[in-house]
Coordinates of all heavy atoms in Angstrom, one line a residue:
T4 N -11.3 0.3 -9.4 CA -12.4 1.1 -9.0 C -11.9 2.5 -8.7 O -10.7 2.7 -8.4 CB -13.1 0.5 -7.8 OG1 -12.1 0.6 -6.7 CG2 -13.5 -0.9 -8.0
G5 N -12.8 3.5 -8.6 CA -12.4 4.8 -8.2 C -11.8 4.9 -6.8 O -10.9 5.7 -6.6
I6 N -12.4 4.1 -5.9 CA -11.9 4.0 -4.6 C -10.4 3.6 -4.5 O -9.6 4.1 -3.8 CB -12.7 3.1 -3.7 CG1 -14.1 3.7 -3.5 CG2 -12.1 2.9 -2.3 CD1 -15.1 2.9 -2.8
R7 N -10.1 2.6 -5.4 CA -8.7 2.0 -5.4 C -7.8 3.1 -5.9 O -6.7 3.3 -5.4 CB -8.8 0.8 -6.3 CG -7.5 0.0 -6.4 CD -7.7 -1.2 -7.2 NE -6.5 -2.0 -7.4 CZ -6.5 -3.1 -8.2 NH1 -7.6 -3.5 -8.7 NH2 -5.4 -3.7 -8.4
V8 N -8.2 3.8 -7.0 CA -7.3 4.9 -7.5 C -7.1 6.0 -6.5 O -6.0 6.5 -6.3 CB -8.0 5.5 -8.8 CG1 -7.2 6.7 -9.3 CG2 -8.0 4.4 -9.9
A9 N -8.2 6.3 -5.8 CA -8.1 7.4 -4.7 C -7.0 7.0 -3.7 O -6.2 7.8 -3.2 CB -9.4 7.6 -4.1
K10 N -7.0 5.8 -3.3 CA -6.1 5.3 -2.2 C -4.6 5.4 -2.8 O -3.7 5.7 -2.0 CB -6.4 3.9 -1.8 CG -7.7 3.9 -0.9 CD -8.0 2.5 -0.3 CE -9.2 2.5 0.6 NZ -9.5 1.2 1.1
N11 N -4.5 5.1 -4.0 CA -3.1 5.2 -4.6 C -2.7 6.7 -4.7 O -1.5 7.0 -4.5 CB -3.1 4.6 -6.0 CG -2.9 3.1 -6.0 OD1 -1.8 2.6 -6.1 ND2 -4.0 2.4 -5.9
I12 N -3.6 7.6 -4.9 CA -3.3 9.0 -4.9 C -2.8 9.5 -3.5 O -1.9 10.2 -3.3 CB -4.4 9.8 -5.4 CG1 -4.7 9.6 -6.9 CG2 -4.2 11.3 -5.1 CD1 -5.9 10.2 -7.5
L13 N -3.5 9.0 -2.5 CA -3.3 9.4 -1.1 C -1.9 9.0 -0.6 O -1.3 9.7 0.1 CB -4.4 8.8 -0.2 CG -5.8 9.4 -0.3 CD1 -6.8 8.6 0.4 CD2 -5.8 10.9 0.2
H14 N -1.4 7.8 -1.0 CA -0.2 7.3 -0.6 C 0.8 7.1 -1.7 O 0.6 6.1 -2.5 CB -0.4 5.9 0.2 CG -1.4 6.0 1.3 ND1 -1.1 6.8 2.4 CD2 -2.5 5.5 1.5 CE1 -2.1 6.7 3.3 NE2 -3.0 5.9 2.7
H15 N 1.8 8.0 -1.9 CA 2.6 7.9 -3.1 C 3.6 6.7 -3.1 O 4.1 6.4 -4.1 CB 3.4 9.2 -3.2 CG 4.6 9.4 -2.3 ND1 4.5 10.0 -1.1 CD2 5.9 9.0 -2.4 CE1 5.6 10.0 -0.5 NE2 6.5 9.4 -1.3
K16 N 3.8 6.0 -2.0 CA 4.6 4.8 -2.0 C 3.8 3.6 -2.4 O 4.3 2.5 -2.6 CB 5.2 4.6 -0.6 CG 6.3 5.5 -0.2 CD 7.6 5.1 -1.0 CE 8.8 6.0 -0.5 NZ 10.0 5.6 -1.3
L17 N 2.5 3.7 -2.5 CA 1.6 2.6 -2.7 C 1.6 2.2 -4.2 O 1.4 3.1 -5.1 CB 0.2 3.0 -2.3 CG -0.8 1.8 -2.0 CD1 -0.4 0.9 -1.0 CD2 -2.2 2.4 -1.7
A18 N 1.9 1.0 -4.5 CA 1.9 0.5 -5.9 C 0.5 0.0 -6.3 O 0.1 0.1 -7.4 CB 3.0 -0.5 -6.1
D19 N -0.1 -0.7 -5.4 CA -1.4 -1.3 -5.6 C -2.1 -1.7 -4.3 O -1.4 -1.9 -3.3 CB -1.3 -2.6 -6.5 CG -2.6 -2.9 -7.2 OD1 -3.6 -2.2 -7.1 OD2 -2.6 -4.0 -7.9
V20 N -3.4 -1.7 -4.3 CA -4.2 -2.1 -3.1 C -5.5 -2.8 -3.6 O -6.1 -2.3 -4.5 CB -4.5 -0.8 -2.2 CG1 -5.3 0.2 -3.0 CG2 -5.3 -1.3 -1.0
I21 N -5.8 -3.9 -3.0 CA -7.0 -4.6 -3.3 C -7.7 -4.9 -1.9 O -7.1 -5.5 -1.0 CB -6.6 -6.0 -4.0 CG1 -5.9 -5.7 -5.3 CG2 -7.9 -6.8 -4.2 CD1 -5.4 -7.0 -6.0
S22 N -8.9 -4.5 -1.8 CA -9.7 -4.8 -0.6 C -10.2 -6.2 -0.6 O -10.9 -6.6 -1.5 CB -10.9 -3.8 -0.5 OG -10.4 -2.5 -0.4
L23 N -9.7 -7.0 0.3 CA -10.1 -8.4 0.4 C -11.5 -8.6 1.0 O -12.3 -9.5 0.6 CB -9.1 -9.3 1.1 CG -7.7 -9.2 0.6 CD1 -6.7 -10.0 1.5 CD2 -7.6 -9.7 -0.9
D24 N -11.8 -7.7 2.0 CA -13.1 -7.6 2.5 C -13.2 -6.2 3.2 O -12.4 -5.4 2.9 CB -13.5 -8.7 3.5 CG -12.5 -8.8 4.7 OD1 -12.0 -7.7 5.1 OD2 -12.3 -9.9 5.2
E25 N -14.2 -6.0 4.0 CA -14.4 -4.7 4.6 C -13.2 -4.3 5.5 O -13.0 -3.1 5.8 CB -15.7 -4.6 5.4 CG -16.9 -4.6 4.5 CD -18.2 -4.5 5.3 OE1 -18.1 -4.4 6.5 OE2 -19.3 -4.5 4.7
N26 N -12.5 -5.3 6.1 CA -11.5 -5.0 7.1 C -10.1 -5.2 6.7 O -9.1 -4.7 7.3 CB -11.8 -5.9 8.3 CG -13.2 -5.6 8.9 OD1 -13.6 -4.5 9.1 ND2 -13.9 -6.7 9.1
I27 N -9.8 -6.0 5.6 CA -8.5 -6.4 5.3 C -8.2 -6.0 3.8 O -9.0 -6.2 2.9 CB -8.3 -8.0 5.4 CG1 -8.6 -8.4 6.9 CG2 -6.9 -8.4 5.0 CD1 -7.6 -7.8 7.9
S28 N -7.0 -5.5 3.6 CA -6.5 -5.1 2.3 C -5.2 -5.8 2.0 O -4.3 -6.0 2.9 CB -6.3 -3.6 2.2 OG -7.5 -2.9 2.3
L29 N -5.0 -6.1 0.7 CA -3.7 -6.6 0.2 C -3.0 -5.4 -0.4 O -3.6 -4.8 -1.3 CB -3.9 -7.7 -0.8 CG -2.7 -8.3 -1.5 CD1 -1.8 -9.1 -0.5 CD2 -3.0 -9.1 -2.7
V30 N -1.8 -5.1 0.0 CA -1.2 -3.9 -0.5 C 0.2 -4.2 -1.1 O 0.9 -5.1 -0.6 CB -1.0 -2.8 0.6 CG1 -2.4 -2.3 1.1 CG2 -0.2 -3.3 1.8
E31 N 0.5 -3.5 -2.1 CA 1.9 -3.6 -2.7 C 2.4 -2.2 -2.6 O 1.8 -1.2 -3.1 CB 1.8 -4.1 -4.1 CG 1.3 -5.5 -4.3 CD 1.5 -6.1 -5.6 OE1 2.4 -5.6 -6.3 OE2 0.9 -7.1 -5.9
F32 N 3.7 -2.0 -2.1 CA 4.2 -0.7 -1.9 C 5.7 -0.7 -1.9 O 6.4 -1.7 -1.6 CB 3.7 -0.1 -0.5 CG 4.1 -0.9 0.7 CD1 5.2 -0.5 1.4 CD2 3.5 -2.0 1.1 CE1 5.6 -1.2 2.6 CE2 3.8 -2.7 2.2 CZ 4.9 -2.3 3.0
Y33 N 6.3 0.5 -2.2 CA 7.7 0.6 -2.2 C 8.1 1.0 -0.8 O 7.5 1.8 -0.1 CB 8.1 1.8 -3.1 CG 7.9 1.4 -4.6 CD1 6.7 1.8 -5.2 CD2 8.8 0.7 -5.3 CE1 6.4 1.5 -6.5 CE2 8.6 0.4 -6.7 CZ 7.4 0.8 -7.3 OH 7.1 0.5 -8.6
P34 N 9.2 0.4 -0.3 CA 9.6 0.7 1.1 C 10.1 2.1 1.3 O 10.7 2.7 0.5 CB 10.8 -0.3 1.3 CG 11.4 -0.5 0.0 CD 10.2 -0.5 -1.0
P35 N 9.7 2.7 2.5 CA 10.2 4.0 2.8 C 11.7 4.0 3.1 O 12.2 2.9 3.4 CB 9.4 4.4 4.1 CG 9.0 3.1 4.7 CD 8.8 2.2 3.5
S36 N 12.4 5.1 2.9 CA 13.8 5.1 3.0 C 14.3 4.6 4.4 O 15.4 4.0 4.5 CB 14.4 6.5 2.8 OG 13.8 7.5 3.6
S37 N 13.5 4.8 5.4 CA 13.9 4.4 6.8 C 13.9 2.9 7.0 O 14.5 2.4 7.9 CB 12.9 5.0 7.8 OG 11.6 4.6 7.6
W38 N 13.3 2.1 6.0 CA 13.3 0.7 6.1 C 14.5 0.1 5.3 O 14.9 -1.0 5.5 CB 12.0 0.1 5.5 CG 10.8 0.4 6.3 CD1 10.7 1.4 7.3 CD2 9.5 -0.2 6.1 NE1 9.4 1.4 7.8 CE2 8.6 0.4 7.1 CE3 9.0 -1.2 5.3 CZ2 7.3 0.1 7.2 CZ3 7.7 -1.5 5.4 CH2 6.8 -0.9 6.3
V39 N 15.0 0.8 4.3 CA 16.0 0.3 3.4 C 17.3 -0.1 4.1 O 17.8 0.7 4.9 CB 16.3 1.3 2.3 CG1 17.4 0.8 1.4 CG2 15.1 1.5 1.4
G40 N 17.8 -1.3 3.9 CA 19.0 -1.7 4.5 C 18.8 -2.4 5.8 O 19.8 -2.9 6.4
R41 N 17.6 -2.4 6.3 CA 17.3 -3.0 7.6 C 16.6 -4.4 7.4 O 15.9 -4.7 6.4 CB 16.4 -2.1 8.4 CG 17.1 -0.8 8.7 CD 16.1 0.2 9.5 NE 15.8 -0.4 10.8 CZ 14.9 0.2 11.6 NH1 14.2 1.2 11.2 NH2 14.7 -0.3 12.8
S42 N 16.8 -5.3 8.4 CA 16.2 -6.6 8.3 C 14.8 -6.6 9.0 O 14.4 -5.7 9.7 CB 17.1 -7.6 9.1 OG 17.1 -7.3 10.5
L43 N 14.0 -7.6 8.6 CA 12.7 -7.7 9.2 C 12.7 -7.8 10.7 O 11.8 -7.3 11.4 CB 12.0 -8.9 8.6 CG 11.7 -8.9 7.1 CD1 10.9 -10.1 6.6 CD2 10.9 -7.6 6.7

């Protein structure tokens, strides 16, 4: 959808986003550099 594409434009680390409902989204994204090499 156009909304989905817009959200990908807004966040350059975002690989994909799917709205599961009005409040919850499933997101796929590349980790920011500050997360790399660190544990959960």
Side-chain angles (χ1 to χ4, degrees):
T4 68
I6 292 174
R7 189 172 171 185
V8 172
K10 286 183 177 179
N11 276 268
I12 289 172
L13 289 168
H14 302 299
H15 75 267
K16 285 288 186 180
L17 200 59
D19 200 2
V20 56
I21 299 172
S22 296
L23 301 179
D24 60 29
E25 291 183 359
N26 301 311
I27 300 296
S28 292
L29 178 69
V30 296
E31 298 194 17
F32 62 99
Y33 294 93
S36 57
S37 60
W38 294 14
V39 174
R41 300 178 64 188
S42 66
L43 294 183

